């Protein structure tokens, strides 16, 4: 039996470097030698022992790039191609899938959550989940196509118009990428709130107005910055009761709220205020295949530069250290494990 090294989630707050059996391919799969894999907020949920589907031992990692080492089946790809993985796995038979909306499949699964992912030397990936990395886009940057695709999908789900004022509640990687995408779409003022000075500093570097939620009244500041009107579009990306309350307060009359967070606990939302302000509420999940392709193109052309997001690059042997760093938002943004 051939084995490979893998960074394994073992139990709550316990990840170690271990071994797994090297994948053998089913028909229609490719064997990917992983180059780079990033830690996502969902990985942190698994690490905390709070994900309902992830089962230990698991090689997490659904944001990853690599090189095709083996192909089982007919494909337009070739051995040696550099690829980035779109990690969603749809059933293909539910109503959503039949209508082409595979990203909201009734039984959607993800590589790195429901099966071993990119925190390993190799991963078996369906051929239809591969995207070619363009020349000029590095493997490290390509590994972040997945979170960029989330931001693409989120902004496309909104009603954002040129000149709109935007508030983003939560300045983590997804929140900041949404800010960059909103900027691409023509937003006028982009206001980001968070409690991490490090991440607020990044927001300022991107040209956003940064609000320290520990130091100021976010609602009052937003109203002041928008002449008492409020935001045209509010993106909620923090997933807390505080931001669930703020998203209604900072929205203008007939504004739009886009909820990106996956809430761990059901929040209380002031529906009466939403009613009187006639606010629209939109939710968003994952991304479509076209969103993923658009993310790659935006990175390839330099319209979206993900380099400022990469706070650390570590060997997989330091997986435990990587997760400890990721627990501290004052020192980390996006951590990549490098395997080449």
């Amino acid at each position: 039996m051939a084995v490979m090294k893998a960074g394994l989630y073992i139990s709550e707050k316990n990840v170690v470097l271990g071994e797994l059996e090297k994948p053998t391919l089913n028909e229609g799969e490719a064997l990917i030698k992983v180059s780079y894999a990033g830690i996502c907020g969902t990985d942190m949920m698994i690490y905390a022992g709070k994900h309902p589907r992830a089962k230990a031992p698991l090689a997490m990692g659904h944001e990853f790039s690599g090189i095709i080492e083996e192909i089982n089946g007919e494909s337009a790809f070739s051995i040696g191609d550099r690829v980035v993985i779109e990690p969603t796995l749809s059933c293909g038979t539910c109503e959503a899938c039949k209508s082409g909306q595979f990203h909201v499949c009734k039984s959607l699964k993800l590589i790195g959550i429901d099966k071993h992912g990119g925190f390993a030397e190799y991963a078996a990936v369906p051929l239809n989940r591969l995207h070619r990395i363009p020349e000029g886009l590095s493997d490290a940057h390509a590994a972040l196509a997945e979170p960029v695709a989330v931001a693409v999908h989120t902004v496309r789900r909104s009603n954002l118009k040129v000149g709109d004022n935007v508030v983003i509640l939560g300045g983590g990687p997804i929140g900041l990428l949404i800010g960059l995408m909103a900027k691409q779409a023509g937003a006028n003022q982009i206001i980001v709130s968070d409690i991490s000075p490090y991440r607020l500093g990044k927001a300022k570097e991107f040209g956003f107005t940064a609000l320290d939620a520990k130091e100021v009244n976010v609602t009052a500041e937003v109203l002041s910055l928008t002449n008492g009107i409020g935001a045209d579009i509010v993106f909620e990306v923090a997933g807390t009761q505080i931001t669930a309350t703020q998203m209604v307060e900072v929205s203008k009359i007939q504004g739009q709220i886009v909820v990106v967070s996956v809430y761990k606990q059901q929040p209380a939302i002031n529906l009466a205020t939403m009613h009187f302000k006639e606010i629209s509420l939109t939710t968003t999940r994952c991304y479509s295949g076209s969103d993923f392709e658009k993310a790659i193109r935006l990175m390839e052309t330099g319209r979206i530069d993900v380099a400022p997001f990469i706070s650390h690059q570590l060997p997989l042997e330091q997986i435990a250290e990587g997760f400890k760093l990721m627990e501290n938002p004052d020192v980390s943004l996006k951590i990549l494990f490098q395997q080449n």
Side-chain angles (χ1 to χ4, degrees), residues 200-275:
L200 289 168
K202 286 288 184 182
K204 290 177 185 176
E205 287 177 22
F206 292 134
F208 308 150
T209 301
L211 301 180
D212 188 335
K214 291 187 298 186
E215 301 295 332
V216 302
N217 181 309
V218 171
T219 299
E221 288 295 314
V222 170
L223 292 175
S224 175
L225 290 165
T226 57
N227 297 317
I229 296 170
D232 297 282
I233 311 287
V234 181
F235 296 101
E236 196 291 302
V237 204
T240 70
Q241 178 58 61
I242 291 171
T243 51
T245 300
Q246 289 171 343
M247 70 185 186
V248 178
E249 294 174 342
V250 302
S251 175
K252 76 171 192 177
I253 292 171
Q254 294 189 325
Q256 183 190 30
I257 295 167
V258 182
V259 176
V260 187
S261 301
V262 179
Y263 277 80
K264 298 179 184 69
Q265 294 181 326
Q266 184 173 319
I269 299 173
N270 192 331
L271 293 177
T273 300
M274 288 187 66
H275 172 83

Side-chain angles (χ1 to χ4, degrees), residues 177-329:
L177 282 167
I178 289 169
L180 291 180
M181 215 60 63
K183 194 174 184 179
Q184 291 287 329
N188 171 40
Q189 183 174 206
I190 300 170
I191 303 166
V192 176
S193 74
D194 203 272
I195 58 173
S196 163
Y198 172 71
R199 294 182 174 192
L200 289 168
K202 286 288 184 182
K204 290 177 185 176
E205 287 177 22
F206 292 134
F208 308 150
T209 301
L211 301 180
D212 188 335
K214 291 187 298 186
E215 301 295 332
V216 302
N217 181 309
V218 171
T219 299
E221 288 295 314
V222 170
L223 292 175
S224 175
L225 290 165
T226 57
N227 297 317
I229 296 170
D232 297 282
I233 311 287
V234 181
F235 296 101
E236 196 291 302
V237 204
T240 70
Q241 178 58 61
I242 291 171
T243 51
T245 300
Q246 289 171 343
M247 70 185 186
V248 178
E249 294 174 342
V250 302
S251 175
K252 76 171 192 177
I253 292 171
Q254 294 189 325
Q256 183 190 30
I257 295 167
V258 182
V259 176
V260 187
S261 301
V262 179
Y263 277 80
K264 298 179 184 69
Q265 294 181 326
Q266 184 173 319
I269 299 173
N270 192 331
L271 293 177
T273 300
M274 288 187 66
H275 172 83
F276 289 117
K277 291 170 78 173
E278 213 172 45
I279 295 169
S280 298
L281 178 66
T282 300
T283 57
T284 180
R285 184 183 187 189
C286 295
Y287 36 76
S288 67
S290 65
D291 295 325
F292 209 95
E293 283 290 339
K294 282 181 170 61
I296 294 170
R297 297 285 86 78
L298 286 166
M299 292 190 294
E300 176 192 13
T301 58
R303 299 284 296 276
I304 296 294
D305 180 12
V306 295
F309 287 83
I310 303 171
S311 57
H312 300 81
Q313 285 187 199
L314 303 172
L316 189 60
E317 286 78 4
Q318 293 183 32
I319 186 166
E321 180 183 338
F323 273 83
K324 287 292 184 187
L325 286 166
M326 198 68 183
E327 283 188 291
N328 185 352

Side-chain angles (χ1 to χ4, degrees), residues 11-176:
S11 60
E12 182 180 333
K13 299 292 183 79
N14 183 17
V15 289
V16 300
L17 186 72
E19 289 185 342
L20 287 174
E21 184 177 351
K22 185 177 177 180
T24 55
L25 300 183
N26 296 316
E27 177 74 23
E29 289 185 333
L31 183 67
I32 307 302
K33 189 177 191 310
V34 178
S35 299
Y36 291 87
I39 302 178
C40 170
T42 304
D43 297 318
M44 296 305 295
M45 187 187 298
I46 297 170
Y47 176 69
K50 294 181 179 178
H51 197 283
R53 299 197 315 271
K55 306 299 180 189
L58 174 70
M60 294 181 283
H62 60 270
E63 303 174 359
F64 65 105
S65 63
I67 298 170
I68 297 177
E69 191 161 291
E70 186 183 336
I71 296 173
N72 185 355
E74 292 187 14
S75 173
F77 291 97
S78 302
I79 291 171
D81 283 349
R82 298 186 306 129
V83 292
V84 59
I85 284 70
E86 182 181 346
T88 51
L89 301 170
S90 306
C91 74
T93 59
C94 70
E95 184 181 359
C97 287
K98 285 179 179 177
S99 64
Q101 303 301 313
F102 301 102
H103 66 290
V104 284
C105 169
K106 191 174 181 179
S107 56
L108 187 71
K109 293 179 170 54
L110 269 82
I111 298 168
I113 297 174
D114 300 284
K115 62 174 288 188
H116 296 308
F119 295 166
E121 285 187 89
Y122 295 93
V125 178
L127 290 164
N128 65 2
R129 299 292 84 196
L130 302 179
H131 295 261
R132 203 179 307 276
I133 299 175
E135 195 136 348
L137 182 62
S138 72
D139 292 350
H141 290 181
L144 299 187
E146 199 269 356
V148 175
V150 171
V152 170
H153 184 70
T154 298
V155 173
R156 293 180 77 197
R157 287 276 293 164
S158 77
N159 299 324
L160 180 62
K161 301 178 187 66
V162 172
D164 279 354
N165 289 324
V166 167
V167 167
I168 300 168
L169 302 172
I174 296 296
L176 294 175

